[in-house]
Amino acid sequence: MVHVKDINMFFGQYHALKNITFNLNKGDFLHIVGPNGSGKSTLIKILVGLLQPQSGEIALNTSILGYLPQTFNVSDHVPMSVYEVLKNITKNETDIDGWLHMMEMTDYKYEAMQHLSGGQKQRIFLVRALLQNPEILILDEPTSALDPHFRETFLHLLHHLQRTHKMTIIHVTHDLTDVVKSNCKVLYIDQDIRFFGDYKDFQNFSHEGHHHG
Amino acid sequence: MGDFLQFAFLQQALLIGVILSISAALLSPFLVLNQQGMIAHGLSHVSFTGFVLGLLFLDQPLWIAVPFVVSSSILIQYLTTKVKLQGDVSIGIVTSIAFAIGLILIKTSSSFNVSVESLLVGNIFTLRAGDLFLSSVILLSVIIFIWRYYQKLFLMTYDQNYAVFLKVNVTFIRYLLAIFTSLFIVIGVRSIGVLLITSLIIFPAAIASKISTTFKHTFLLGIMIAVISSLFGILFAHPLDIPASASIVMMYTLLFIISFFIKKGGQTS
């Protein structure tokens, strides 16, 4: 489903990503972890087409991507409602209502975005991503603005999507406590790949002290 | 007041003023809320030189002014998107060069006999039927453009990166927006003047966005504000013998001040 081979990214002289290579099958759940500045968001931006690497290949067996960016370049002074944001993506009211219900945001359907908390906005932008019925869902630190209760719910939701929709999920996080499920893969990068494999093997890797500080 | 409303020149001025204000209000949210409002300011200064060139060489200065301003708007976008200059730097560079050329031409040309003040301030009361036609064409063109690209323009306004992710041709639409802005500017400058034409672009969204909580309401309220300001601005300008452009801006200012006392729906203090 996802084939990444020898991705190299430079910002001027700075070699941000070095020979990044990994493959994912349909329905895989991948956590991308690493310290701040390790290139996680850069890799994500390359996967979704916002950045072009200097070398390497990417093959995604679908054009239907869902994307939840890390920091929203969303202007705070643009008045807009939740409904306008979501209707901009799809005219399907059933889909909008369905995903809002799943995100526990039904009551906010016509609310102004400016009135929402950071976590609520993040849920709406996740709905925005899911409304495209993606085969691959890419999330860049989605739990950073969420309260602890919804953080756990959110992660369970992602695994639910993986199981029921056979969605391939790529989840960037700097918090290893997000990596809780054994049936997922982990990609640990710090400019280059330090680990790629199953979660159970990553547990051994991280216990050996190869963890970010 | 009812007596002078029967004068044809005033009726025409009101009609042109409303048409131009609506055109500007339609463009306003996509420029102002996307922090692109200053492009209108820059292009107004470019239009000064466009008209100077046009008046020096032709009887119909628009034949030179229009392509000159449109080309400048394209150049500004090129400097921003391809050369990667910051937007305000691109605007400043093109504006300064163009305006300087205009001033040099005025100073060095013995055949230039048009009042500079008339270019800077405009005079909506001396326009002709041809100006009404051109203003109407601009309004219709802007309506078609906004109608065709509304969803993409909205997305680009609030989240340009996501628009790029969704493969929206952001660069192309930005060029179109710049071109339509330049067309509005060059047609509107003769009514409102180089110095104040930008206000028609800036004020509608600036005021409406303080009161509205949805983009659609911002859009529609901006149009309403524009119509009210242009109507009352022109109506007061004539008996007071002040430039209509300045009178319109004072109406916008009054509404802008009033907007500070109106809370957005549902917002607590």
Side-chain angles (χ1 to χ4, degrees):
Chain A
M1 194 70 179
V2 177
H3 308 281
V4 175
K5 186 178 177 189
D6 294 329
I7 294 294
N8 283 277
M9 184 73 194
F10 289 86
F11 293 112
Q13 299 296 317
Y14 176 64
H15 199 170
L17 290 173
K18 302 175 185 174
N19 302 316
I20 303 295
T21 298
F22 65 92
N23 296 303
L24 296 175
N25 298 316
K26 185 176 168 66
D28 277 350
F29 195 122
L30 173 71
H31 293 285
I32 299 180
V33 297
N36 289 332
S38 57
K40 303 187 297 296
S41 290
T42 300
L43 177 58
I44 290 301
K45 287 177 182 171
I46 291 171
L47 286 175
V48 300
L50 290 179
L51 286 175
Q52 297 300 318
Q54 275 73 17
S55 66
E57 298 165 11
I58 295 174
L60 305 175
N61 289 5
T62 179
S63 59
I64 312 173
L65 298 182
Y67 173 45
L68 181 63
Q70 178 187 28
T71 51
F72 307 119
N73 278 334
V74 175
S75 182
D76 275 341
H77 52 263
V78 177
M80 54 192 179
S81 65
V82 168
Y83 187 66
E84 284 179 316
V85 169
L86 301 181
K87 207 81 161 106
N88 186 240
I89 301 299
T90 181
K91 303 283 182 279
N92 191 320
E93 294 279 344
T94 307
D95 280 357
I96 290 174
D97 291 338
W99 286 118
L100 281 175
H101 176 72
M102 193 168 285
M103 290 293 135
E104 300 175 20
M105 291 293 289
T106 302
D107 292 343
Y108 297 89
K109 184 175 177 180
Y110 298 105
E111 190 62 64
M113 289 291 288
Q114 289 165 313
H115 294 165
L116 302 184
S117 67
Q120 289 173 327
K121 285 181 190 171
Q122 202 146 3
R123 285 190 251 172
I124 295 304
F125 289 122
L126 177 59
V127 170
R128 183 180 71 170
L130 291 168
L131 279 172
Q132 290 159 269
N133 296 311
E135 294 186 25
I136 303 174
L137 180 62
I138 300 172
L139 311 105
D140 197 349
E141 302 207 35
T143 57
S144 57
L146 299 179
D147 57 63
H149 159 69
F150 198 79
R151 191 177 184 139
E152 197 173 324
T153 306
F154 185 91
L155 290 166
H156 285 141
L157 169 68
L158 292 184
H159 286 283
H160 174 75
L161 289 171
Q162 177 199 20
R163 286 194 309 273
T164 59
H165 290 70
K166 272 305 208 177
M167 220 178 267
T168 305
I169 296 182
I170 299 175
H171 172 238
V172 172
T173 181
H174 67 268
D175 189 338
L176 288 178
T177 59
D178 284 349
V179 185
V180 294
K181 290 282 187 178
S182 58
N183 61 338
C184 66
K185 288 185 162 58
V186 179
L187 174 68
Y188 182 92
I189 65 171
D190 194 352
Q191 293 176 271
D192 56 3
I193 292 182
R194 303 299 173 88
F195 175 86
F196 176 65
D198 291 332
Y199 170 68
K200 58 181 186 308
D201 297 323
F202 177 72
Q203 284 180 301
N204 297 333
F205 169 83
S206 55
H207 283 147
E208 285 167 13
H210 299 286
H211 56 77
H212 60 85
Chain B
M1 181 173 281
D3 289 339
F4 72 72
L5 277 176
Q6 64 188 310
F7 292 118
F9 78 92
L10 184 56
Q11 291 168 3
Q12 182 165 270
L14 285 168
L15 199 50
I16 291 176
V18 167
I19 288 172
L20 287 174
S21 296
I22 294 175
S23 299
L26 287 169
L27 295 168
S28 181
F30 305 112
L31 292 169
V32 172
L33 299 179
N34 207 0
Q35 297 170 48
Q36 298 275 310
M38 281 298 105
I39 194 170
H41 185 69
L43 291 174
S44 69
H45 287 67
V46 172
S47 71
F48 173 81
T49 301
F51 274 102
V52 169
L53 281 168
L55 289 165
L56 279 173
F57 298 111
L58 293 176
D59 288 334
Q60 300 292 337
L62 281 178
W63 287 111
I64 291 183
V66 168
F68 186 77
V69 178
V70 170
S71 302
S72 299
S73 71
I74 292 172
L75 177 60
I76 290 170
Q77 287 302 318
Y78 178 82
L79 290 173
T80 307
T81 56
K82 293 290 184 192
V83 181
K84 305 289 186 195
L85 293 180
Q86 282 187 294
D88 52 354
V89 173
S90 305
I91 294 167
I93 287 174
V94 173
T95 298
S96 303
I97 294 171
F99 201 72
I101 292 171
L103 291 177
I104 291 170
L105 285 171
I106 289 173
K107 189 70 179 166
T108 57
S109 172
S110 56
S111 60
F112 189 81
N113 56 5
V114 173
S115 159
V116 172
E117 182 187 338
S118 68
L119 284 176
L120 296 178
V121 177
N123 193 340
I124 202 169
F125 297 114
T126 60
L127 298 181
R128 301 175 197 160
D131 298 294
L132 177 58
F133 172 74
L134 285 173
S135 303
S136 303
V137 169
I138 292 297
L139 175 59
L140 185 61
S141 305
V142 169
I143 287 172
I144 293 172
F145 167 63
I146 301 293
W147 172 79
R148 169 71 178 81
Y149 289 104
Y150 179 83
Q151 294 296 341
K152 291 176 179 166
L153 283 164
F154 169 56
L155 182 59
M156 284 167 57
T157 300
Y158 90 83
D159 195 345
Q160 180 159 301
N161 275 350
Y162 203 74
V164 173
F165 163 68
L166 289 182
K167 308 278 190 282
V168 172
N169 196 338
V170 168
T171 302
F172 172 69
I173 294 174
R174 283 175 76 108
Y175 273 106
L176 282 183
L177 186 59
I179 288 169
F180 279 103
T181 303
S182 61
L183 288 172
F184 162 76
I185 293 287
V186 79
I187 298 300
V189 142
R190 296 196 303 179
S191 314
I192 308 297
V194 165
L195 294 178
L196 292 177
I197 187 70
T198 309
S199 62
L200 266 64
I201 294 274
I202 301 293
F203 271 109
I207 298 170
S209 65
K210 286 188 63 57
I211 304 169
S212 307
T213 55
T214 71
F215 195 81
K216 187 176 168 185
H217 287 165
T218 302
F219 198 66
L220 295 174
L221 185 59
I223 294 171
M224 205 164 27
I225 288 167
V227 170
I228 291 171
S229 298
S230 62
L231 275 177
F232 284 98
I234 294 168
L235 284 172
F236 282 123
H238 186 260
L240 294 176
D241 195 23
I242 57 176
S245 54
S247 182
I248 292 172
V249 170
M250 294 318 295
M251 288 299 122
Y252 273 125
T253 305
L254 181 61
L255 292 175
F256 185 66
I257 293 171
I258 291 172
S259 73
F260 276 93
F261 297 100
I262 300 174
K263 292 219 186 318
K264 289 195 181 193
Q267 192 177 27
T268 55
S269 53

